[in-house]
Amino acid sequence: MNQAVTAPAALRALDRIRPDVRAMHAYSVQPATGVLKMDAMENPFRLPAELQAALGQRLGALELNRYPGTRQNDLKAALAAYAGAPEGSALLLGNGSDEIITLLALACAQPHAGGRATMLAPMPGFVMYPMSAQLQGLDFVGVPLTPDFALDEAAMLAAIAEHKPAITYIAYPNNPTATLWDEAVVQRIADAVGEQGGIVVMDEAYQPFASRSWITRMRAEPERNAHVLLMRTLSKFGLAGVRLGYLIGPAALVNEIDKVRPPYNVSVLNCEAALFALEHAEVFAAQAAELCAARTELLAALRAMPGIERVWDSEANMVLLRVADAARVFAGMKERKVLVKNVSTMHPLLANCLRLTVGSAADNAQMLAALQASL
């Protein structure tokens, strides 16, 4: 075909892509071949050999020629039991929590008070919140945290009163700060959202490593939290490759959001792998306990290391720290075959901050050696 004909056609076709999408940068996953990957908060432990064999046999026996069916109801029941879902709850399954964030935005993207619906969240926070708002046509309002990465209650309440957000995200614990915010403050913020008719989404992606969960508040005061949805993922549980997220909340609310979920969004392989993992939850609980112990040792080592300006407490499988020159330290660690996350450009409050994954004792030792040599 004539090259002169196809090139202008391709350029014209690009004009059909939304300008804001063309101006975006795609979500970037750093290449990790040949390096120690400590940038994505992955569980470093694989399944024991006997469980690998049992899972492989079980997955191999599935009817891959059939669409996903009622087996997902078994998974919902297992997740509800595992999480201790309140009575009257319903569950929605997603291809990771990322898809659920998209579905929530899609379900709530309607004109509001003469303008667009609004999504609100404390910042710095998870990058998928503002991205989903942009792509689904909501306005996004980010409310800065305090310099210590605590919730600015007054600023949050003022923003809620002004913008009347359809969705307010509270990451519990937060990414990338690893902060588990004060329960009373969070409840007052949730109350304020409820008073103006909004939805609160408690994002508990890092729940296996946190000292408390909002599910206890939902059980204790169901009416007060009737507008609160709890979102979790099995990624930090130890199944990042399975891509399985879930949303728990009052059935009337969850069932409406479920209407925008694509049919068959969770494959039979994902579903069965998740069920298998829940049947062996004690294995993953032991891994989480080991990582929490490793986190304590990692925090102590970091705080004793000269050249680190600050290390924040963590309730997740990550640690946030500040150095004099994050870009230089990041590059130095990468040269030493250790990949961490340079979050220093994500938000002004994160200036010169790096985020480190909590790994096994051996992984943490290698990471600490590379960090010390790069400072």
Side-chain angles (χ1 to χ4, degrees):
M1 187 175 288
N2 191 316
Q3 200 69 15
V5 173
T6 58
L11 289 174
R12 288 197 301 272
L14 280 174
D15 289 337
R16 296 294 185 176
I17 307 295
R18 284 167 36 182
D20 64 321
V21 171
R22 294 181 67 182
M24 287 172 62
H25 294 287
Y27 188 94
S28 176
V29 177
Q30 300 181 81
T33 304
V35 301
L36 176 63
K37 196 172 187 299
M38 303 294 280
D39 68 326
M41 290 83 72
E42 293 158 320
N43 183 329
F45 305 115
R46 299 187 63 182
L47 279 175
E50 64 274 14
L51 292 185
Q52 290 181 32
L55 176 60
Q57 186 175 25
R58 190 150 146 182
L59 295 181
L62 292 174
E63 294 184 315
L64 300 183
N65 56 313
R66 302 293 184 188
Y67 285 113
T70 57
R71 188 64 166 151
Q72 293 194 0
N73 293 332
D74 297 333
L75 177 56
K76 289 181 182 181
L79 287 168
Y82 169 76
E87 188 176 346
S89 296
L91 269 80
L92 179 152
L93 301 177
N95 194 279
S97 57
D98 290 344
E99 184 185 35
I100 296 174
I101 291 169
T102 297
L103 297 179
L104 284 160
L106 184 61
C108 295
Q110 62 176 331
H112 180 75
R116 302 198 303 178
T118 298
M119 180 190 296
L120 185 144
M123 286 283 127
F126 188 34
V127 296
M128 293 305 296
Y129 304 153
M131 183 180 290
S132 67
Q134 175 185 340
L135 292 177
Q136 303 303 330
L138 288 82
D139 291 327
F140 181 80
V141 175
V143 181
L145 298 170
T146 71
D148 289 331
F149 299 127
L151 283 171
D152 188 332
E153 182 178 359
M156 286 289 291
L157 294 176
I160 290 164
E162 178 183 355
H163 298 286
K164 296 179 171 48
I167 305 171
T168 298
Y169 277 100
I170 302 289
Y172 198 76
N174 188 44
N175 173 17
T177 64
T179 318
L180 188 64
W181 291 310
D182 181 90
E183 187 177 85
V185 173
V186 172
Q187 184 67 74
R188 288 194 292 271
I189 290 169
D191 291 345
V193 174
E195 287 168 6
Q196 57 81 29
I199 297 169
V200 173
V201 182
M202 295 291 181
D203 184 351
E204 291 197 344
Y206 300 91
Q207 180 274 328
F209 311 100
S211 59
R212 61 182 185 272
S213 165
W214 201 257
I215 202 84
T216 58
R217 302 298 316 140
M218 294 169 73
R219 287 199 300 262
E221 296 188 274
E223 291 300 321
R224 191 177 185 182
N225 290 280
H227 61 298
V228 176
L229 302 172
L230 187 81
M231 183 172 67
R232 290 186 180 176
T233 174
L234 293 185
S235 292
K236 312 311 173 189
F237 180 83
L239 302 180
V242 170
R243 309 307 302 132
L244 200 293
Y246 58 106
L247 189 73
I248 300 173
L253 194 52
V254 171
N255 290 342
E256 292 302 316
I257 298 161
D258 194 48
K259 293 176 181 178
V260 300
R261 177 184 55 82
Y264 316 128
N265 64 321
V266 173
S267 79
V268 294
L269 293 167
N270 298 38
C271 178
E272 203 63 35
L275 275 165
F276 181 87
L278 291 170
E279 291 165 14
H280 301 280
E282 72 284 352
V283 173
F284 296 92
Q287 293 175 355
E290 184 173 342
L291 290 172
C292 286
R295 179 180 66 194
T296 300
E297 295 178 2
L298 179 62
L299 285 167
L302 289 168
R303 285 173 173 147
M305 189 176 293
I308 295 179
E309 296 183 358
R310 179 156 184 189
V311 181
W312 278 269
D313 291 337
S314 170
E315 291 253 6
N317 62 336
M318 59 182 151
V319 174
L320 188 75
L321 57 89
R322 175 168 285 134
V323 294
D325 187 341
R328 182 176 61 81
V329 174
F330 170 80
M333 294 184 73
K334 194 172 182 179
E335 288 175 8
R336 292 168 176 85
K337 306 298 183 184
V338 176
L339 191 63
V340 297
K341 185 74 171 180
N342 180 4
V343 297
S344 61
T345 60
M346 287 175 54
H347 192 278
L349 288 172
L350 292 170
N352 281 315
C353 284
L354 299 173
R355 187 191 67 195
L356 316 181
T357 298
V358 178
S360 65
D363 288 348
N364 291 343
Q366 184 179 344
M367 178 173 63
L368 285 167
L371 174 60
Q372 189 165 32
S374 303
L375 287 168

